[in-house]
């Protein structure tokens, strides 16, 4: 059911400032910068082969990502796995005992269907699933 790691997300205070490391030091390229409506975040993607690093910047100080940075500082925020069908995967995970943040898919970056599994049932790692984009 899980096809690959789609992206690893890093919580940052500023997407463009954080991207300097990836572009100037690692020689990668930032693309796909967009504000995700309804999630109060600005994201930017750095493509690396089949996977990506997602830089996530909070736009609202009350958002989950803002609170994450306040508590833990900038750093790895979540891992996202690609699945064929987000809704079906969420149902299966719940049946297998996972605590979900999203019982049904929501629209994430680049208009893909995404869903989050609560870190309480993943060993502390916020876990996202998405369909291919
Ligand atoms: Co993500």
């Amino acid at each position: 059911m899980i096809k690959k790691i789609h992206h690893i997300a890093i919580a940052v205070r500023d997407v463009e400032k954080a991207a300097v490391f990836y572009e100037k030091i690692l020689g990668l390229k930032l693309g796909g910068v967009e504000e995700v409506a309804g999630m109060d975040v600005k994201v930017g993607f750095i493509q690396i082969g089949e996977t990506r690093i997602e830089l996530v910047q909070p736009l609202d100080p009350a958002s989950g990502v803002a609170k994450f940075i306040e508590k833990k500082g900038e750093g790895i925020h979540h891992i996202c796995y690609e699945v064929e069908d987000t809704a079906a995967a969420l149902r299966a995970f719940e049946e297998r005992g996972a605590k979900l943040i999203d019982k049904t898919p929501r629209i994430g970056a680049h208009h893909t269907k995404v869903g989050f599994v609560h870190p309480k049932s993943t060993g502390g790692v916020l876990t996202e699933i998405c369909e291919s984009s």
Side-chain angles (χ1 to χ4, degrees), residues 7 9 54 78 80 128:
H7 62 266
E54 176 188 35
H78 64 267
C80 180
E128 179 182 22

Side-chain angles (χ1 to χ4, degrees), residues 6 9 45 71 90 93-94 107 118 126:
H6 184 273
F45 285 92
K71 253 170 77 180
L90 288 172
F93 294 165
E94 191 168 43
I107 301 303
H118 200 284
L126 177 61

